[in-house]
Amino acid sequence: MLRSVGQRRAAEEGTDPRAAGLRAAVSRLRRELAAHRVEFADRDVAEEELAALDALALGDTPEVWRLRRSLLLVAGSVGSVSALAGGLAEVREAVELFGPPPGGTLG
């Protein structure tokens, strides 16, 4: 698995590398969303939930159900915008590193 500069720095500083990876993925998708000039109905929802994911990643131990809830809202908001598919996939992968959904399994 490739690790980003942020993940390596986080590991060196003793912070959770999963959180650093999530913040990097969220940051990328936020930049892509800002650069995507075509308006769509749920842009505000996507921006709010990306901010929520970033805030959760800053916390001590984010709750998996909250991460997944925000991910679902972001996916529902931008899922039909093919230009954002790569960034969305990166966020999904970063959230999955925190574990399976409560009471369920991945996949």
Side-chain angles (χ1 to χ4, degrees):
M1 176 173 106
L2 293 176
R3 290 175 27 153
S4 71
V5 172
Q7 286 174 309
R8 286 191 301 272
R9 191 174 301 129
E12 292 167 3
E13 295 173 0
T15 58
D16 189 340
R18 298 174 304 172
L22 177 57
R23 293 197 71 218
V26 166
S27 178
R28 173 186 171 197
L29 185 53
R30 287 173 104 175
R31 286 190 311 271
E32 290 175 358
L33 183 58
H36 187 75
R37 295 294 172 203
V38 178
E39 283 301 317
F40 53 94
D42 293 329
R43 180 185 285 269
D44 290 341
V45 173
E47 290 170 348
E48 289 173 14
E49 291 306 320
L50 287 169
L53 280 169
D54 191 52
L56 287 168
L58 283 172
D60 290 333
T61 306
E63 295 176 343
V64 173
W65 73 269
R66 287 183 187 261
L67 293 171
R68 290 187 169 277
R69 178 187 176 279
S70 288
L71 174 62
L72 284 173
L73 289 169
V74 171
S77 301
V78 304
S80 64
V81 182
S82 60
L84 303 174
L88 179 59
E90 190 176 316
V91 171
R92 180 187 55 80
E93 291 167 6
V95 167
E96 287 179 354
L97 292 176
F98 284 89
T105 59
L106 292 175

Coordinates of all heavy atoms in Angstrom, one line a residue:
M1 N 0.8 -1.2 0.0 CA 0.0 0.0 0.0 C 0.9 1.2 0.0 O 1.8 1.4 0.8 CB -0.9 0.0 1.3 CG -1.7 1.2 1.4 SD -2.9 1.1 2.7 CE -2.1 2.1 3.9
L2 N 0.6 2.2 -0.9 CA 1.3 3.4 -0.9 C 0.8 4.3 0.2 O -0.4 4.4 0.4 CB 1.2 4.1 -2.3 CG 1.8 3.4 -3.5 CD1 1.5 4.1 -4.7 CD2 3.3 3.3 -3.3
R3 N 1.7 5.0 0.8 CA 1.3 6.0 1.8 C 1.7 7.4 1.4 O 2.7 7.6 0.8 CB 2.0 5.6 3.2 CG 1.4 4.4 3.7 CD 2.0 3.8 4.9 NE 2.7 4.8 5.8 CZ 2.8 4.6 7.1 NH1 2.3 3.5 7.6 NH2 3.4 5.4 7.9
S4 N 0.8 8.3 1.7 CA 1.0 9.7 1.3 C 2.0 10.3 2.2 O 2.3 9.8 3.3 CB -0.3 10.5 1.3 OG -0.7 10.7 2.6
V5 N 2.5 11.5 1.8 CA 3.5 12.2 2.7 C 2.8 12.5 4.0 O 3.4 12.4 5.1 CB 3.9 13.5 2.0 CG1 4.7 14.4 2.9 CG2 4.7 13.2 0.7
G6 N 1.5 12.9 3.9 CA 0.8 13.2 5.2 C 0.7 12.0 6.1 O 0.8 12.1 7.3
Q7 N 0.5 10.8 5.5 CA 0.4 9.6 6.3 C 1.7 9.3 7.0 O 1.8 8.9 8.1 CB -0.1 8.4 5.5 CG -1.5 8.5 5.1 CD -1.9 7.4 4.2 OE1 -1.3 7.2 3.1 NE2 -3.0 6.6 4.5
R8 N 2.8 9.4 6.2 CA 4.1 9.2 6.8 C 4.4 10.2 7.9 O 4.9 9.8 9.0 CB 5.2 9.2 5.7 CG 5.2 8.0 4.8 CD 6.4 8.0 3.9 NE 6.6 9.2 3.1 CZ 6.1 9.3 1.9 NH1 5.4 8.3 1.3 NH2 6.3 10.4 1.2
R9 N 4.1 11.4 7.7 CA 4.4 12.5 8.7 C 3.5 12.2 9.9 O 4.0 12.3 11.1 CB 4.1 13.8 8.1 CG 4.5 15.0 9.0 CD 4.3 16.3 8.4 NE 5.0 16.4 7.1 CZ 4.5 16.8 6.0 NH1 3.3 17.2 5.9 NH2 5.2 16.9 4.9
A10 N 2.3 11.8 9.8 CA 1.4 11.5 10.9 C 2.0 10.3 11.7 O 2.0 10.3 12.9 CB 0.0 11.1 10.4
A11 N 2.5 9.3 11.0 CA 3.0 8.1 11.7 C 4.2 8.5 12.5 O 4.4 8.1 13.6 CB 3.4 7.0 10.7
E12 N 5.1 9.4 12.0 CA 6.2 9.9 12.7 C 5.9 10.7 13.9 O 6.6 10.7 14.9 CB 7.1 10.7 11.7 CG 7.8 9.9 10.6 CD 8.4 10.7 9.5 OE1 8.3 12.0 9.6 OE2 8.8 10.2 8.5
E13 N 4.8 11.5 13.8 CA 4.3 12.3 14.9 C 3.5 11.6 15.9 O 3.1 12.1 16.9 CB 3.6 13.5 14.4 CG 4.4 14.4 13.5 CD 3.6 15.5 12.9 OE1 2.4 15.6 13.0 OE2 4.2 16.3 12.1
G14 N 3.2 10.3 15.7 CA 2.4 9.5 16.6 C 0.9 9.7 16.4 O 0.1 9.2 17.3
T15 N 0.4 10.3 15.4 CA -1.0 10.4 15.1 C -1.4 9.3 14.2 O -0.6 8.6 13.6 CB -1.4 11.8 14.4 OG1 -0.6 11.9 13.2 CG2 -1.0 12.9 15.3
D16 N -2.7 9.0 14.1 CA -3.3 7.9 13.4 C -3.1 8.1 11.9 O -3.6 9.1 11.3 CB -4.7 7.8 13.7 CG -5.4 6.5 13.2 OD1 -4.8 5.9 12.2 OD2 -6.4 6.1 13.7
P17 N -2.3 7.3 11.2 CA -2.1 7.5 9.8 C -3.4 7.3 9.0 O -3.5 7.9 7.9 CB -1.1 6.4 9.4 CG -1.0 5.5 10.5 CD -1.5 6.2 11.7
R18 N -4.4 6.6 9.5 CA -5.7 6.5 8.8 C -6.3 7.8 8.8 O -6.9 8.2 7.7 CB -6.6 5.5 9.5 CG -6.1 4.1 9.6 CD -7.0 3.2 10.4 NE -7.1 3.8 11.7 CZ -7.9 3.3 12.7 NH1 -8.7 2.3 12.4 NH2 -8.0 3.9 13.9
A19 N -6.3 8.6 9.9 CA -6.9 9.9 9.9 C -6.2 10.9 8.9 O -6.8 11.6 8.3 CB -6.8 10.5 11.3
A20 N -4.8 10.8 8.9 CA -4.1 11.6 7.9 C -4.5 11.3 6.5 O -4.6 12.1 5.7 CB -2.6 11.4 8.2
G21 N -4.6 10.0 6.2 CA -5.0 9.6 4.9 C -6.4 10.0 4.5 O -6.7 10.5 3.4
L22 N -7.3 10.0 5.5 CA -8.7 10.5 5.3 C -8.7 12.0 5.0 O -9.4 12.4 4.1 CB -9.6 10.1 6.5 CG -11.0 10.7 6.4 CD1 -11.8 10.1 5.2 CD2 -11.8 10.3 7.7
R23 N -7.9 12.7 5.8 CA -7.9 14.2 5.6 C -7.3 14.5 4.2 O -7.8 15.4 3.6 CB -7.0 14.8 6.7 CG -7.7 14.7 8.1 CD -7.2 15.7 9.1 NE -7.6 17.0 8.7 CZ -6.9 18.1 8.9 NH1 -5.7 18.0 9.4 NH2 -7.3 19.3 8.5
A24 N -6.3 13.7 3.8 CA -5.7 14.0 2.5 C -6.7 13.7 1.4 O -6.9 14.4 0.4 CB -4.5 13.1 2.3
A25 N -7.5 12.6 1.5 CA -8.5 12.2 0.5 C -9.6 13.2 0.5 O -10.1 13.6 -0.6 CB -9.0 10.8 0.8
V26 N -10.0 13.7 1.6 CA -11.1 14.7 1.7 C -10.6 16.0 1.1 O -11.3 16.6 0.3 CB -11.5 14.9 3.2 CG1 -12.4 16.2 3.3 CG2 -12.3 13.7 3.7
S27 N -9.4 16.4 1.4 CA -8.8 17.6 0.8 C -8.8 17.5 -0.7 O -9.2 18.5 -1.4 CB -7.4 17.8 1.3 OG -6.9 19.0 0.8
R28 N -8.4 16.4 -1.3 CA -8.4 16.2 -2.7 C -9.8 16.4 -3.3 O -10.0 17.1 -4.3 CB -7.8 14.8 -3.1 CG -7.9 14.6 -4.6 CD -7.5 13.2 -4.9 NE -7.8 12.9 -6.3 CZ -7.9 11.7 -6.9 NH1 -7.6 10.7 -6.2 NH2 -8.2 11.6 -8.2
L29 N -10.7 15.7 -2.7 CA -12.1 15.8 -3.3 C -12.7 17.2 -3.1 O -13.4 17.6 -4.0 CB -13.0 14.7 -2.6 CG -14.4 14.6 -3.1 CD1 -14.4 14.4 -4.7 CD2 -15.2 13.5 -2.4
R30 N -12.4 17.8 -2.0 CA -12.8 19.2 -1.9 C -12.2 20.1 -3.0 O -13.0 21.0 -3.5 CB -12.4 19.8 -0.5 CG -13.3 19.2 0.6 CD -12.7 19.6 2.0 NE -13.6 20.6 2.5 CZ -13.5 21.1 3.7 NH1 -12.5 20.7 4.5 NH2 -14.3 22.0 4.2
R31 N -11.0 19.9 -3.3 CA -10.3 20.7 -4.4 C -11.0 20.4 -5.7 O -11.3 21.3 -6.5 CB -8.8 20.4 -4.4 CG -8.0 21.1 -3.3 CD -6.5 21.0 -3.6 NE -6.1 19.6 -3.9 CZ -5.7 18.7 -3.1 NH1 -5.7 19.0 -1.8 NH2 -5.3 17.5 -3.5
E32 N -11.2 19.1 -6.0 CA -11.9 18.7 -7.2 C -13.3 19.3 -7.3 O -13.7 19.7 -8.4 CB -11.9 17.2 -7.3 CG -10.5 16.6 -7.6 CD -10.5 15.1 -7.6 OE1 -11.6 14.5 -7.4 OE2 -9.4 14.5 -7.8
L33 N -14.0 19.3 -6.2 CA -15.4 19.8 -6.2 C -15.4 21.3 -6.4 O -16.2 21.8 -7.2 CB -16.0 19.5 -4.8 CG -17.5 19.9 -4.6 CD1 -18.4 19.3 -5.7 CD2 -17.9 19.5 -3.3
A34 N -14.4 22.0 -5.8 CA -14.3 23.4 -6.0 C -14.0 23.8 -7.5 O -14.5 24.8 -8.0 CB -13.3 24.0 -5.1
A35 N -13.2 22.9 -8.1 CA -12.8 23.2 -9.5 C -13.9 22.8 -10.5 O -13.8 23.2 -11.6 CB -11.5 22.4 -9.8
H36 N -14.8 22.0 -10.1 CA -15.9 21.5 -10.9 C -17.0 22.6 -11.0 O -17.7 22.8 -10.1 CB -16.5 20.2 -10.4 CG -17.5 19.6 -11.3 ND1 -17.1 18.9 -12.4 CD2 -18.8 19.5 -11.2 CE1 -18.2 18.5 -13.0 NE2 -19.3 18.8 -12.3
R37 N -17.0 23.4 -12.1 CA -17.8 24.6 -12.2 C -19.2 24.3 -12.5 O -20.1 25.2 -12.4 CB -17.2 25.5 -13.2 CG -15.8 26.1 -12.7 CD -16.0 26.9 -11.5 NE -14.8 27.3 -11.0 CZ -14.6 27.7 -9.7 NH1 -15.6 27.7 -8.9 NH2 -13.4 28.0 -9.3
V38 N -19.6 23.1 -12.9 CA -20.9 22.8 -13.2 C -21.7 22.6 -11.9 O -21.3 21.9 -11.1 CB -21.0 21.5 -14.1 CG1 -22.5 21.1 -14.4 CG2 -20.2 21.6 -15.4
E39 N -22.8 23.4 -11.8 CA -23.6 23.3 -10.6 C -24.5 22.0 -10.6 O -24.9 21.6 -11.7 CB -24.6 24.5 -10.5 CG -23.8 25.8 -10.1 CD -23.2 25.6 -8.7 OE1 -23.8 25.1 -7.8 OE2 -22.0 26.1 -8.6
F40 N -24.7 21.5 -9.5 CA -25.6 20.3 -9.3 C -26.3 20.5 -8.0 O -25.9 21.2 -7.1 CB -24.9 19.0 -9.5 CG -23.7 18.8 -8.6 CD1 -23.9 18.2 -7.3 CD2 -22.5 19.2 -9.0 CE1 -22.8 18.0 -6.5 CE2 -21.4 19.0 -8.1 CZ -21.5 18.4 -6.9
A41 N -27.5 19.9 -7.9 CA -28.4 20.1 -6.8 C -27.8 20.0 -5.4 O -28.1 20.7 -4.5 CB -29.7 19.3 -7.0
D42 N -27.0 19.0 -5.2 CA -26.6 18.6 -3.9 C -25.1 19.0 -3.6 O -24.5 18.5 -2.7 CB -26.7 17.1 -3.6 CG -28.2 16.7 -3.6 OD1 -29.0 17.5 -3.2 OD2 -28.5 15.6 -4.0
R43 N -24.6 20.0 -4.3 CA -23.2 20.5 -4.0 C -23.0 20.9 -2.6 O -22.0 20.6 -1.9 CB -22.9 21.6 -5.0 CG -21.5 22.2 -4.8 CD -21.2 23.4 -5.6 NE -21.0 23.1 -7.0 CZ -19.8 22.8 -7.5 NH1 -18.7 22.8 -6.8 NH2 -19.7 22.5 -8.8
D44 N -24.0 21.6 -2.0 CA -23.9 22.1 -0.6 C -23.8 21.0 0.4 O -23.0 21.0 1.3 CB -25.1 23.0 -0.3 CG -25.0 24.4 -1.0 OD1 -23.9 24.7 -1.5 OD2 -26.1 25.0 -1.0
V45 N -24.6 19.9 0.1 CA -24.6 18.7 1.0 C -23.2 18.1 0.9 O -22.6 17.8 2.0 CB -25.7 17.7 0.5 CG1 -25.5 16.4 1.3 CG2 -27.0 18.3 0.7
A46 N -22.6 18.0 -0.3 CA -21.3 17.4 -0.4 C -20.3 18.2 0.3 O -19.4 17.6 1.0 CB -20.9 17.2 -1.9
E47 N -20.3 19.5 0.2 CA -19.3 20.4 0.8 C -19.4 20.3 2.3 O -18.4 20.2 3.1 CB -19.5 21.8 0.3 CG -19.1 22.0 -1.1 CD -19.4 23.3 -1.7 OE1 -20.2 24.1 -1.1 OE2 -18.9 23.6 -2.8
E48 N -20.7 20.3 2.9 CA -20.9 20.2 4.3 C -20.4 18.8 4.9 O -19.8 18.8 5.9 CB -22.4 20.3 4.6 CG -22.9 21.7 4.4 CD -24.4 21.9 4.6 OE1 -25.0 20.9 5.1 OE2 -24.9 22.9 4.2
E49 N -20.7 17.8 4.2 CA -20.3 16.4 4.7 C -18.8 16.2 4.5 O -18.2 15.5 5.3 CB -21.1 15.3 4.0 CG -22.5 15.3 4.4 CD -22.7 15.2 5.9 OE1 -22.0 14.5 6.6 OE2 -23.7 15.9 6.4
L50 N -18.1 16.8 3.5 CA -16.7 16.7 3.4 C -16.0 17.5 4.6 O -15.1 17.0 5.2 CB -16.2 17.3 2.1 CG -16.5 16.3 0.9 CD1 -16.2 17.0 -0.4 CD2 -15.6 15.1 1.0
A51 N -16.6 18.6 5.0 CA -16.1 19.3 6.1 C -16.3 18.5 7.4 O -15.5 18.5 8.3 CB -16.9 20.7 6.2
A52 N -17.5 17.8 7.5 CA -17.7 16.9 8.6 C -16.7 15.8 8.7 O -16.2 15.5 9.8 CB -19.1 16.4 8.6
L53 N -16.4 15.2 7.6 CA -15.4 14.1 7.5 C -14.0 14.6 8.0 O -13.3 14.0 8.7 CB -15.3 13.5 6.1 CG -16.4 12.5 5.8 CD1 -16.3 12.2 4.3 CD2 -16.2 11.2 6.6
D54 N -13.7 15.8 7.5 CA -12.4 16.4 7.9 C -12.4 16.6 9.4 O -11.4 16.3 10.1 CB -12.1 17.7 7.2 CG -10.7 18.2 7.3 OD1 -9.8 17.4 7.1 OD2 -10.6 19.4 7.7
A55 N -13.4 17.2 10.0 CA -13.5 17.4 11.4 C -13.5 16.1 12.2 O -12.8 16.0 13.2 CB -14.8 18.2 11.8
L56 N -14.1 15.1 11.7 CA -14.1 13.8 12.4 C -12.7 13.2 12.4 O -12.2 12.6 13.4 CB -15.0 12.8 11.7 CG -16.5 13.0 11.9 CD1 -17.4 12.2 11.0 CD2 -16.9 12.7 13.4
A57 N -12.0 13.4 11.3 CA -10.6 12.9 11.2 C -9.7 13.6 12.2 O -8.6 13.0 12.6 CB -10.1 13.0 9.8
L58 N -10.0 14.8 12.5 CA -9.2 15.6 13.5 C -9.4 15.1 14.9 O -8.5 15.3 15.8 CB -9.5 17.1 13.4 CG -8.9 17.8 12.2 CD1 -9.5 19.2 12.2 CD2 -7.4 17.8 12.3
G59 N -10.5 14.4 15.2 CA -10.8 13.9 16.5 C -9.9 12.8 16.9 O -9.2 12.2 16.1
D60 N -10.1 12.4 18.2 CA -9.2 11.3 18.7 C -9.5 10.0 18.0 O -8.6 9.4 17.4 CB -9.5 11.1 20.2 CG -8.9 12.3 21.0 OD1 -7.9 12.9 20.5 OD2 -9.4 12.5 22.1
T61 N -10.7 9.5 18.1 CA -11.1 8.2 17.5 C -12.5 8.4 16.9 O -13.5 8.3 17.5 CB -11.2 7.1 18.5 OG1 -9.9 7.0 19.2 CG2 -11.4 5.7 17.8
P62 N -12.5 8.6 15.6 CA -13.8 8.9 14.9 C -14.7 7.6 15.0 O -14.2 6.5 14.9 CB -13.5 9.2 13.5 CG -12.0 9.0 13.3 CD -11.4 8.7 14.6
E63 N -16.0 7.8 15.2 CA -16.9 6.7 15.2 C -17.2 6.3 13.7 O -17.5 7.1 12.9 CB -18.2 7.1 15.8 CG -18.0 7.5 17.3 CD -19.3 8.0 18.0 OE1 -20.2 8.4 17.2 OE2 -19.3 8.0 19.2
V64 N -17.0 5.0 13.5 CA -17.2 4.4 12.2 C -18.5 4.8 11.6 O -18.6 5.1 10.4 CB -16.9 2.9 12.2 CG1 -17.2 2.3 10.8 CG2 -15.5 2.6 12.6
W65 N -19.6 4.7 12.4 CA -20.9 4.9 11.8 C -21.0 6.4 11.3 O -21.7 6.6 10.3 CB -22.0 4.6 12.8 CG -22.2 5.5 14.0 CD1 -21.6 5.4 15.2 CD2 -23.0 6.7 14.0 NE1 -21.9 6.4 16.0 CE2 -22.8 7.2 15.3 CE3 -23.8 7.3 13.1 CZ2 -23.5 8.4 15.7 CZ3 -24.5 8.5 13.5 CH2 -24.3 9.0 14.8
R66 N -20.4 7.3 12.0 CA -20.4 8.7 11.6 C -19.7 8.9 10.3 O -20.1 9.6 9.4 CB -19.9 9.6 12.7 CG -20.8 9.8 13.8 CD -20.2 10.8 14.8 NE -21.0 10.8 16.0 CZ -21.9 11.8 16.3 NH1 -22.1 12.7 15.4 NH2 -22.5 11.8 17.4
L67 N -18.5 8.3 10.2 CA -17.7 8.4 9.0 C -18.5 7.8 7.8 O -18.6 8.4 6.7 CB -16.4 7.6 9.1 CG -15.4 8.1 10.1 CD1 -14.2 7.1 10.3 CD2 -14.8 9.4 9.7
R68 N -19.1 6.7 8.0 CA -19.9 6.0 6.9 C -21.1 6.8 6.6 O -21.5 6.9 5.4 CB -20.2 4.6 7.3 CG -19.0 3.7 7.3 CD -19.3 2.3 7.5 NE -18.1 1.5 7.3 CZ -17.6 1.2 6.1 NH1 -18.3 1.5 5.0 NH2 -16.5 0.5 5.9
R69 N -21.8 7.4 7.5 CA -22.9 8.3 7.2 C -22.5 9.4 6.3 O -23.2 9.7 5.3 CB -23.6 8.8 8.5 CG -24.7 9.7 8.3 CD -25.2 10.3 9.6 NE -26.3 11.2 9.4 CZ -26.1 12.5 9.0 NH1 -24.9 13.0 8.8 NH2 -27.2 13.3 8.9
S70 N -21.5 10.1 6.7 CA -21.0 11.2 5.9 C -20.6 10.8 4.5 O -20.9 11.4 3.5 CB -19.8 12.0 6.6 OG -20.3 12.7 7.7
L71 N -19.9 9.6 4.4 CA -19.5 9.1 3.1 C -20.7 8.8 2.3 O -20.7 9.1 1.1 CB -18.7 7.8 3.3 CG -18.3 7.0 2.1 CD1 -17.5 7.9 1.1 CD2 -17.7 5.7 2.4
L72 N -21.8 8.2 2.8 CA -23.0 7.9 2.1 C -23.6 9.2 1.5 O -24.1 9.3 0.4 CB -24.0 7.2 2.9 CG -23.7 5.7 3.1 CD1 -24.6 5.1 4.1 CD2 -23.7 4.9 1.8
L73 N -23.6 10.3 2.4 CA -24.2 11.5 1.9 C -23.4 12.2 0.8 O -23.9 12.7 -0.1 CB -24.3 12.5 3.1 CG -25.5 12.1 4.1 CD1 -25.4 12.9 5.4 CD2 -26.8 12.2 3.5
V74 N -22.0 12.1 1.0 CA -21.2 12.6 -0.1 C -21.4 11.8 -1.4 O -21.5 12.4 -2.5 CB -19.7 12.6 0.3 CG1 -18.8 12.9 -0.9 CG2 -19.4 13.6 1.5
A75 N -21.4 10.5 -1.3 CA -21.6 9.6 -2.5 C -22.9 9.9 -3.1 O -23.0 10.0 -4.4 CB -21.4 8.2 -2.1
G76 N -23.9 10.1 -2.3 CA -25.2 10.4 -2.9 C -25.3 11.8 -3.6 O -26.0 12.0 -4.5
S77 N -24.5 12.7 -3.1 CA -24.4 14.0 -3.6 C -23.6 14.1 -4.9 O -24.0 14.9 -5.8 CB -23.9 15.0 -2.6 OG -24.6 15.0 -1.4
V78 N -22.5 13.5 -5.0 CA -21.6 13.6 -6.1 C -21.5 12.4 -6.9 O -20.8 12.4 -7.9 CB -20.2 14.1 -5.7 CG1 -20.3 15.4 -4.9 CG2 -19.4 13.0 -4.9
G79 N -22.2 11.3 -6.6 CA -22.0 10.0 -7.2 C -22.3 10.0 -8.7 O -21.7 9.2 -9.5
S80 N -23.1 11.0 -9.2 CA -23.4 11.0 -10.6 C -22.5 11.9 -11.4 O -22.6 12.0 -12.6 CB -24.9 11.5 -10.8 OG -25.0 12.8 -10.4
V81 N -21.5 12.5 -10.7 CA -20.6 13.4 -11.4 C -19.3 12.6 -11.6 O -18.5 12.4 -10.8 CB -20.3 14.7 -10.5 CG1 -19.3 15.6 -11.2 CG2 -21.6 15.4 -10.1
S82 N -19.2 12.1 -12.9 CA -18.1 11.2 -13.2 C -16.7 11.9 -13.0 O -15.7 11.2 -12.7 CB -18.2 10.7 -14.6 OG -18.2 11.8 -15.5
A83 N -16.6 13.2 -13.1 CA -15.3 13.9 -12.9 C -14.8 13.8 -11.5 O -13.6 13.9 -11.2 CB -15.4 15.3 -13.3
L84 N -15.7 13.4 -10.5 CA -15.3 13.4 -9.1 C -15.2 11.9 -8.7 O -14.9 11.7 -7.5 CB -16.4 14.1 -8.3 CG -16.6 15.6 -8.6 CD1 -17.8 16.1 -7.8 CD2 -15.3 16.4 -8.4
A85 N -15.3 10.9 -9.6 CA -15.3 9.5 -9.2 C -14.0 9.1 -8.5 O -14.0 8.4 -7.5 CB -15.6 8.7 -10.4
G86 N -12.9 9.6 -9.0 CA -11.6 9.2 -8.5 C -11.4 9.7 -7.0 O -11.0 8.9 -6.1
G87 N -11.8 10.9 -6.8 CA -11.7 11.5 -5.5 C -12.6 10.8 -4.5 O -12.3 10.6 -3.4
L88 N -13.8 10.5 -5.0 CA -14.8 9.9 -4.1 C -14.3 8.5 -3.7 O -14.4 8.1 -2.6 CB -16.2 9.8 -4.8 CG -17.3 9.1 -4.1 CD1 -17.6 9.8 -2.7 CD2 -18.5 9.1 -4.9
A89 N -13.7 7.8 -4.7 CA -13.2 6.4 -4.4 C -12.1 6.5 -3.4 O -12.0 5.6 -2.5 CB -12.7 5.8 -5.7
E90 N -11.3 7.5 -3.5 CA -10.2 7.7 -2.5 C -10.7 7.9 -1.1 O -10.3 7.4 -0.1 CB -9.3 8.8 -2.9 CG -8.0 8.9 -2.1 CD -7.1 10.0 -2.6 OE1 -6.9 10.2 -3.9 OE2 -6.6 10.8 -1.8
V91 N -11.8 8.7 -1.0 CA -12.4 9.0 0.3 C -13.0 7.7 0.9 O -12.9 7.4 2.0 CB -13.5 10.1 0.2 CG1 -14.3 10.2 1.5 CG2 -12.8 11.5 -0.1
R92 N -13.7 7.0 0.0 CA -14.3 5.7 0.4 C -13.3 4.7 1.0 O -13.4 4.1 2.0 CB -15.1 5.0 -0.7 CG -15.7 3.7 -0.4 CD -16.3 3.0 -1.5 NE -15.4 2.7 -2.6 CZ -14.5 1.7 -2.6 NH1 -14.4 0.9 -1.6 NH2 -13.7 1.6 -3.7
E93 N -12.2 4.6 0.2 CA -11.1 3.7 0.7 C -10.5 4.1 2.0 O -10.2 3.3 2.9 CB -10.0 3.7 -0.4 CG -10.4 2.9 -1.6 CD -9.4 3.1 -2.8 OE1 -8.4 3.8 -2.6 OE2 -9.8 2.7 -3.9
A94 N -10.4 5.5 2.2 CA -9.9 6.0 3.5 C -10.8 5.7 4.6 O -10.4 5.3 5.7 CB -9.6 7.5 3.4
V95 N -12.1 5.8 4.4 CA -13.1 5.5 5.4 C -13.1 4.0 5.8 O -13.2 3.7 7.0 CB -14.5 6.0 5.0 CG1 -15.6 5.4 5.9 CG2 -14.6 7.5 5.0
E96 N -13.0 3.2 4.8 CA -13.0 1.7 5.0 C -11.8 1.3 5.9 O -11.9 0.3 6.5 CB -13.0 1.0 3.7 CG -14.3 1.1 3.0 CD -14.4 0.3 1.7 OE1 -13.3 -0.1 1.2 OE2 -15.4 0.3 1.1
L97 N -10.7 2.1 5.9 CA -9.6 1.7 6.8 C -9.9 1.8 8.3 O -9.2 1.2 9.1 CB -8.4 2.6 6.5 CG -7.7 2.4 5.1 CD1 -6.6 3.5 5.0 CD2 -7.2 1.0 5.0
F98 N -11.0 2.4 8.6 CA -11.4 2.6 10.0 C -12.2 1.3 10.5 O -12.5 1.2 11.6 CB -12.2 3.8 10.2 CG -11.3 5.1 10.3 CD1 -11.1 5.7 9.1 CD2 -10.8 5.5 11.5 CE1 -10.2 6.9 9.1 CE2 -10.0 6.6 11.5 CZ -9.7 7.3 10.3
G99 N -12.6 0.5 9.5 CA -13.3 -0.8 9.9 C -14.6 -0.9 9.2 O -15.1 0.0 8.6
P100 N -15.2 -2.1 9.4 CA -16.5 -2.4 8.7 C -17.6 -1.6 9.4 O -17.4 -1.2 10.6 CB -16.6 -3.9 8.9 CG -15.8 -4.2 10.1 CD -14.7 -3.3 10.1
P101 N -18.7 -1.5 8.7 CA -19.8 -0.8 9.4 C -20.3 -1.6 10.6 O -20.2 -2.8 10.7 CB -20.9 -0.8 8.3 CG -20.5 -1.8 7.3 CD -19.0 -2.0 7.4
P102 N -20.8 -0.9 11.6 CA -21.3 -1.6 12.8 C -22.3 -2.6 12.4 O -23.3 -2.3 11.7 CB -21.9 -0.4 13.7 CG -21.2 0.8 13.1 CD -20.9 0.5 11.7
G103 N -22.2 -3.8 12.9 CA -23.1 -4.9 12.7 C -23.1 -5.4 11.3 O -24.0 -6.2 10.9
G104 N -22.1 -5.1 10.5 CA -22.1 -5.6 9.1 C -20.7 -5.9 8.7 O -19.7 -5.9 9.5
T105 N -20.6 -6.2 7.4 CA -19.2 -6.4 6.9 C -19.1 -5.6 5.6 O -20.0 -5.0 5.1 CB -19.1 -7.9 6.4 OG1 -20.1 -8.2 5.5 CG2 -19.2 -8.8 7.6
L106 N -17.8 -5.5 5.2 CA -17.5 -4.7 4.0 C -17.9 -5.6 2.8 O -17.8 -6.8 2.8 CB -16.0 -4.4 3.9 CG -15.6 -3.4 4.9 CD1 -14.0 -3.2 4.8 CD2 -16.2 -2.0 4.7
G107 N -18.3 -4.9 1.7 CA -18.5 -5.6 0.4 C -19.8 -6.0 0.3 O -20.4 -6.6 -0.5

